[in-house]
Structures are given as structure tokens and as C-alpha cells.
Amino acid sequence: MTGPKLYVAGNWKMNGLQADLKEIEAVKAGVTPSGPDVAIFPPATLLHQAASLAKGSPVEIGAQDCHAQAKGAFTGDLSASILKDAGATAVIVGHSERRSGHGETSRDVHAKASAALKAGLKAVICIGETKGERLAGLAPDVCARQVAASLPAESTPDTVIVAYEPVWAIGTGLSPTIPDITAIHEVVRSELKKHFPGSAGQHWRVLYGGSVTAANAASIFESNEVDGVLVGGASLSAPSFLAIIAAAKAASERRASVK
Ligand code: PEP
């Protein structure tokens, strides 16, 4: 089955001032339509300018979270339609920093993803086990449960991307072995197949995230199960993010040549 393009996403988290918009300009200048799909998720304050800068390029701009309700008395929160209005075309939901730091459950993530899809945004839904769960051998079960509980019924391979991000690998410099990444991606894919039988024959994009850098991206793409990466720290500077994009492009070319 020929899949969609690889997806290389940069999550800026709570980083990014006006001066950092130049990184988006540099990424835009360094990508080509023949390369992977590229997305940058800056803080909400930069969305509008980032989207204007990226216009007409293969770089999509997304937000890092959204509220589950379409509008209302939720001081400080942002709805999916507000984010879309600001220029976002995608939104990350269920990042482990939201699940752990803000007590978000898979049920909350499900509601947010549903709101995103209703507003016409693509949802990048994060799942992943903690260190304790990995050590206890629970990673496959935890990830399968999170997929089942976090994806709304209206999800499709065109509108939802799943990002497998082991919590213990985020921002730590640690990462699972390639066979371990492959094994969880296979679990995710079989859950997707089970819950979305209507999408048989279509390819869901399953990303890996957790301490991806310019130095290890090529080896992560050695797993043909990896349809892209969600990158935190290494996405903040254009040269390192572009090096990861180049690794994705090389991986696509290698995969195409062995088909
Ligand atoms: C992330 O924020 O999703 C992430 C994977 O961070 P890092 O690449 O810094 O580990």
C-alpha cells in the first residue's frame, strides 16, 4: 500500500517570540513540495503571523491544544475555530505535557479531537506510556487503550495523525530502540484497523516523537512503520529541523526505491 507523504512536525511548546518567526522563514526557504509534509506548532500568539509567513509553502501551521467546546465562558482558553481563524490548519491534542500537567484524560482528548475535526482542523493525537508502564511491560496495552479512547468515531486517515510519544523519551535524550518503536506502531495500527474498519485500504500516519534530533532521525526512519516524527527541542532552530526534514526525504526515497 503506498502511503501518504511522511510528516515532520515541530512542537515549539512554550517557546517562541516575534524574533523566532525568522526560523519559520528559514524552514520555508529550505523545503520543497517534493519533500515530506512539514508542520510547525508555535505558541498561539504567533499563529497568525506564522500562517501568513508560511502561506504558499509546504509548511502547515498548527496549534498546540484546543478547548473541547466551540465557544463560551472559558477564560484563557482557545477553541478550535479561534485557532482556525488565526490561520492554524492542525492542532496537537493529548500531548503528555497536557495529559500529566493538566490532568487531561483520553476522554478529554477525545472531546478536543472531535472539536478540532468539527472546526475543520487536522488533529495530531498523542499517546504514549510512562517509564513505569514501560518497565512493567504495559506499553502495548497502554498505547492500545489510549488509541481506542482518544480517537473520535469521525476520525479518518486524512484528518487524524497519531503520534506515539513515550513520556519518558520526551525532552530526556532517551529513546526506545527501533524494534520497540516498530512494535508499538504495529499495535497502534492494529487498534486503528479494529476501530475504523471503514478505512481499510487507507494508510493512517503514525508518527514517533521523543528526543528526535538531526543525529538520530535517519535511524528512526529505518523503521518503515514510522510515517513521520513529532519533534520538540530540535524543531526550535531551522538548521536542525531542516536536517530532520532532509532525513525524512531520504527515507521516503529509500522506501520508494525498494517498492
Ligand atoms: C514533544 O514535545 O512532543 C517532544 C517529542 O519533545 P522532544 O523532541 O524535545 O523530546
Side-chain angles (χ1 to χ4, degrees):
M1 188 196 310
T2 309
K5 284 181 164 197
L6 298 184
Y7 191 79
V8 181
N11 172 17
W12 282 16
K13 313 193 188 197
M14 200 169 71
N15 301 287
L17 303 175
Q18 294 288 318
D20 299 305
L21 289 166
K22 68 178 186 320
E23 303 301 325
I24 295 177
E25 281 184 274
V27 171
K28 176 180 171 178
V31 297
T32 56
S34 65
D37 288 336
V38 174
I40 297 177
F41 297 80
T45 47
L46 296 183
L47 279 177
H48 187 63
Q49 286 160 287
S52 304
L53 278 177
K55 210 172 177 163
S57 82
V59 181
E60 88 170 325
I61 299 296
Q64 298 173 14
D65 181 47
C66 68
H67 198 276
Q69 298 296 321
K71 59 176 161 178
F74 301 102
T75 303
D77 285 317
L78 295 168
S79 69
S81 57
I82 288 174
L83 299 169
K84 189 172 183 213
D85 189 52
T89 52
V91 62
I92 296 172
V93 291
H95 191 281
S96 73
E97 287 152 16
R98 304 280 326 167
R99 288 183 187 259
S100 65
H102 298 260
E104 290 183 7
T105 62
S106 290
R107 196 191 170 105
D108 298 321
V109 176
H110 182 284
K112 288 179 173 210
S114 189
L117 298 181
K118 273 194 195 89
L121 295 180
K122 190 183 292 164
V124 177
I125 303 180
C126 301
I127 56 140
E129 81 284 358
T130 62
K131 183 83 185 171
E133 290 163 341
R134 157 91 24 200
L135 292 175
L138 297 173
D141 284 355
V142 168
C143 293
R145 259 188 282 119
Q146 288 182 351
V147 168
S150 303
L151 269 72
E154 62 270 33
S155 303
T156 70
D158 290 331
T159 56
V160 165
I161 293 173
V162 177
Y164 167 52
E165 297 210 304
V167 179
W168 52 273
I170 297 178
T172 58
L174 302 171
S175 40
T177 63
I178 307 304
D180 284 346
I181 294 173
T182 300
I184 297 292
H185 279 223
E186 285 170 353
V187 167
V188 169
R189 236 176 261 293
S190 88
E191 261 329 271
L192 291 168
K193 213 165 152 187
K194 185 160 93 196
H195 294 284
F196 299 95
S199 68
Q202 284 179 279
H203 188 94
W204 292 83
R205 284 196 280 199
V206 183
L207 315 184
Y208 168 74
S211 296
V212 176
T213 63
N216 66 14
S219 73
I220 290 165
F221 283 119
E222 274 168 24
S223 169
N224 290 338
E225 275 293 321
V226 172
D227 299 311
V229 284
L230 179 53
V231 186
S235 71
L236 294 174
S237 92
S240 70
F241 195 49
L242 283 168
I244 294 168
I245 293 167
K249 188 164 192 259
S252 313
E253 287 163 2
R254 174 183 59 74
R255 292 178 193 184
S257 74
V258 293
K259 281 228 165 80

